[in-house]
Each structure stands twice: as C-alpha cells, then as structure tokens.
Amino acid sequence: MLMAGRVQFGPGVSSKAGEMVSGTGAKSALIVTDETMERLGVAERIAESVRSAGVEVSVFSKVEPEPSVETTDEAAKVARGMNAGAVIGLGGGSAMDVAKAVSVLVTNEGSAAKYQGLGLVKKPGVPKIMIPTTSGTGSEVTFTAVLIRKSDGVKGGINSDYLYPDMSLLDPELTVSMPSHVTASTGMDALAHALEAYTSLKASPFSDIFAEEAMIRIGKWLRVASLNGRNIEARGEMMLAALFGGVALANAGVTACHALAYPLGGMFGVPHGVANALLIPHVARWNAMASPERFVNAAAFLGYPQEEGEPEHVAAMFCSEALAELSDDLGLPETLEDLDVGITEKHFEEMATKAMGVARPMENNPRVLTKEDCVRIYREAME
Ligand SMILES: NC(=O)c1ccc[n+]([C@@H]2O[C@H](COP(=O)([O-])OP(=O)(O)OC[C@H]3O[C@@H](n4cnc5c(N)ncnc54)[C@H](O)[C@@H]3O)[C@@H](O)[C@H]2O)c1
Ligand SMILES: [Fe+2]
C-alpha cells in the first residue's frame, strides 16, 4: 500500500501541527503556502502552533495556482538558507506540491527541474507534513509534485517515493472558506482521480476500494459542499473523498483525462480541476466501450444505475452523462470555448503532442489512444 505515513482527520485537527513537527525532532520548519492562506490568517495560526511547540518557523507564501519550477526553487532557497528540519505544506495542491518538492530539495542539490520525471530524486527529504485546504488533488497522500516549467510551458511531475508525505492533517474546517467554484472544480479533480484509477489498466482490488468510496461520496456530497459550503458534514465527506481518490491514484495511476488536461494548464493556465472537469465526460464517453463493466459500475456510484434489460454498452455511456450533469449543476465551464482563454482548433496538434508525451497515464488508459484521437477529443470538447 502506498500513501502518507500517517493521516489524521477531523474538525480542528490542524491545531496539532506544532506537536507533529516537534515530534519529528526538527528544530526549524518552513511553512509553504499561498497568499490566500496568509490573508485568511490560517498561515499565522499554524505558525503559532509550531512556534509554541518550541520549533523555529518561517512562512513562504508566494506559491501561485498551478505552481512553477521557478517558485519552487525560490522556496527551496529559503528552506536551505534556514536549514529547515521540516516542511509544512498548507493550502491546495499547489502549495502542497511545492512543499513536497522543497522537502527533497533541502537534501538534493540543484533545481526542481532536475528531478521532474520518475525516480530521479536521490535522497530522502526532510519530514513533510501536509495540511490541505481544498478537497481535490489528494496531494496529501501521493508521491507526486506537479510543476510547470515556464521555459516551455510543460507541466511535469516529480514522481518519487521520497515525496510521500510523512503526515497529513485533514481538517474540514479549513475548507469552509473555499469559494463555491473552487470547491466544484477541485471536487471534480478528485472524481477524475477516482474514476481514472478505477478504469486504469493498473487498477487492483486495493485501489478499487478507495476509488469506489471516493466516487460514492462525491456523487452524494459535491453539490452540497459547493452550494452550501458551511455544511461541515459535506466538507468532511469531500475531504475524505479527495483522500481516497489520492490513495487510488497513487496505487493505480490516472488515465487519458489527466494527460489531456495537462496542456490546458501548461499552455493556457487553466486550473487543473477545471480542465479535468471539462474533459472527463468526453474521455468517459471515449473509454466506456473499452471497459463497459467498470463504467456501468461508476455510473451507478454517481446515481445512474443500469436499468433492467439495458445492454451493458448502453448503460456504460451513462457515466459520461452523469459527469456532464454534475459539472453542469456546479456551473463549471462545459466547453473549451467557454474557458475563454484563446484555445482554437490550430492549437490542437500541439496540445495533442504534449498530451501524448504524458506517457504513463496514456499507457494506463483502457482504450488505446493515438495523437489523432486526442485531437478528436479536444474537438468534441470545443463546442
Ligand atoms: N500531487 C498530486 O498528486 C496532484 C494531483 C492533482 C493535481 N495536482 C496539482 O495541484 C494543483 C492544483 O491544486 P488545487 O486544485 O488544490 O488548487 P490550488 O492549490 O491552486 O488552489 C486554487 C485556489 O483556491 C484558493 N484556495 C485554496 N484553498 C482555499 C480555502 N480553503 N479558502 C479559500 N481559498 C482557497 C487558492 O488560494 C487558489 O487561489 C495543480 O498544479 C495540479 O497540477 C497535484
Ligand atoms: Fe488531478
């Protein structure tokens, strides 16, 4: 089983940050976060918890959404400069990914760009503790840190066993301030992780358990969490769903949807969750016939059970319908045109080439995809 070393869940659990850091033996810690968490005073609350546990603490709050290698290197410079004994990632996937990368950059020299790929990190990092504030990426339990290289607009993961967090504190109270549209798009990212892991060629009985539980929870709670963000039960269920989606992803991988979504982030700055939410109904339609039983089950988890006498290949298509309806209810953009970031037909070749370059998710996909197929899917998602 692959996931974070320890996970604690519950309203208020983030107040244990100080205790957790001092438990690692670290004398100093860097909190890696973003401006929002600074502005909301959450960064200071966590810093105070660490300080009062007798650990010296600094805050780096310059992480941008869809973070870059350059920002990560800047944060690493701060961590190296203070000889950080631990790193705390506070925020959504963006802050957590930078924090995970920084933790290994304290002990491995050079730029984060050197380690983008699989298994390139040489030494373990300093202890890392994740405190998510979105319910989406599952970064709090995965071995990946996704960073954009500004030079060529390519989004690439540092994938290494040394990136698994040592501890994650899952506090639903921290997600209450998340705006409705961020709740919606990050929740759809979690759903994409679960569905893609469930239909991945690498799915196993172990990853299935987590993927199924994530899909059931998201089908039931994402609308409520997004439209009534103060509902702490919905927030808690979504936080668990994202966690389970992350465990499923770490063990079975993602598939073509994530590969196709990466160029939208790398080339046009589209938020990761928005890109996945937009593409997942199209990819589900594309894949359904290659693995009908899985898509029939997934549709049922999302509230579209197969009707009596309905052929499997027909019922499988309802998974795509369920995803599109959910996205629509949440008010997420439905087409590439709706994104209004200047994507036109003439970009499809380059986007498809970049998507095909995201090799492992493409290899996990239940239906074989060519570059031409990628162009076709982008075209379907256009209008
Ligand atoms: N490591 C992994 O396994 C993994 C998996 C999927 C995605 N990712 C990466 O994660 C990044 C996206 O992370 P994300 O979707 O969580 O979004 P994010 O971290 O970029 O946050 C999105 C926005 O929401 C704000 N925000 C976050 N929490 C908030 C809160 N509680 N209250 C108010 N505002 C809040 C942030 O400040 C930001 O402006 C992408 O770079 C993506 O590639 C990583
Ligand atoms: Fe994702």
Side-chain angles (χ1 to χ4, degrees):
M1 176 177 88
L2 298 170
M3 63 180 286
R6 287 173 72 187
V7 176
Q8 287 199 29
F9 169 83
V13 82
S14 59
S15 63
K16 289 191 181 173
E19 186 189 318
M20 296 304 149
V21 179
S22 74
T24 67
K27 299 281 173 279
S28 61
L30 181 66
I31 298 177
V32 175
T33 188
D34 66 14
E35 277 175 4
T36 312
M37 288 302 122
E38 178 109 86
R39 184 169 42 78
L40 293 173
V42 181
E44 181 46 36
R45 252 193 356 254
I46 302 296
E48 188 45 43
S49 154
V50 176
R51 234 178 267 124
S52 55
V55 178
E56 186 198 325
V57 66
S58 290
V59 179
F60 178 91
S61 58
K62 289 196 232 163
V63 177
E64 71 275 45
E66 316 299 304
S68 63
V69 163
E70 289 76 5
T71 302
T72 307
D73 288 346
E74 200 185 328
K77 202 171 155 199
V78 177
R80 286 167 179 156
M82 67 183 282
N83 199 15
V87 177
I88 299 172
L90 170 68
S94 299
M96 289 192 286
D97 280 4
V98 173
K100 284 156 69 177
V102 167
S103 126
V104 294
L105 289 173
V106 173
T107 49
N108 294 269
E109 48 81 40
S111 163
K114 245 178 98 172
Y115 304 104
Q116 283 178 303
L118 178 62
L120 301 178
V121 181
K122 303 274 181 306
K123 295 184 221 157
V126 295
K128 43 196 154 312
I129 295 163
M130 297 300 125
I131 308 178
T133 66
T134 60
S135 294
T137 68
S139 181
E140 64 274 16
V141 281
T142 67
F143 76 135
T144 302
V146 189
L147 304 172
I148 297 179
R149 281 196 304 266
K150 281 187 185 157
S151 51
D152 56 4
V154 169
K155 256 187 121 164
I158 302 178
N159 301 290
S160 159
D161 283 352
Y162 295 137
L163 255 60
Y164 280 109
D166 297 86
M167 150 137 297
S168 291
L169 296 174
L170 269 55
D171 184 346
E173 283 173 1
L174 295 186
T175 64
V176 168
S177 56
M178 205 180 2
S180 173
H181 70 279
V182 180
T183 305
S185 60
T186 53
M188 288 301 287
D189 182 30
L191 179 51
H193 297 158
L195 177 62
E196 290 178 70
Y198 187 68
T199 55
S200 163
L201 296 180
K202 284 213 220 96
S204 68
F206 177 83
S207 60
D208 286 352
I209 291 173
F210 288 92
E212 288 173 13
E213 283 297 325
M215 285 188 274
I216 291 167
R217 281 183 164 76
I218 295 167
K220 179 162 177 186
W221 291 105
L222 178 53
R223 288 175 178 89
V224 181
S226 176
L227 302 173
N228 177 10
R230 285 162 302 184
N231 182 322
I232 200 74
E233 185 182 9
R235 292 297 194 181
E237 292 293 337
M238 279 307 300
M239 197 153 225
L240 288 175
L243 166 76
F244 296 161
V247 177
L249 169 163
N251 289 274
V254 282
T255 64
C257 179
H258 265 68
L260 289 158
Y262 272 13
L264 296 183
M267 291 167 67
F268 301 96
V270 178
H272 180 78
V274 173
N276 278 303
L278 197 154
L279 292 169
I280 191 81
H282 298 281
V283 176
R285 184 167 336 111
W286 184 265
N287 283 342
M289 278 188 289
S291 185
E293 194 188 338
R294 293 254 136 184
F295 282 91
V296 168
N297 293 343
F301 297 140
L302 296 173
Y304 278 73
Q306 183 175 17
E307 287 182 9
E308 219 182 299
E310 190 175 38
E312 196 175 53
H313 70 277
V314 175
M317 286 297 172
F318 278 99
C319 185
S320 169
E321 300 265 330
L323 294 161
E325 188 180 274
L326 178 54
S327 231
D328 186 35
D329 288 349
L330 296 169
L332 288 164
E334 282 172 63
T335 68
L336 293 176
E337 239 166 28
D338 288 347
L339 292 175
D340 206 17
V341 290
I343 300 174
T344 63
E345 289 253 350
K346 70 175 193 312
H347 295 113
F348 290 169
E349 278 290 316
E350 188 186 347
M351 287 159 64
T353 305
K354 287 202 159 104
M356 289 303 287
V358 190
R360 281 176 312 125
M362 282 299 188
E363 282 160 19
N364 296 339
N365 200 58
R367 180 168 171 179
V368 177
L369 273 179
T370 63
K371 195 177 133 189
E372 290 66 42
D373 297 330
C374 294
V375 170
R376 209 164 293 146
I377 293 173
Y378 285 134
R379 193 167 292 134
E380 280 172 18
M382 190 67 186
E383 293 172 356

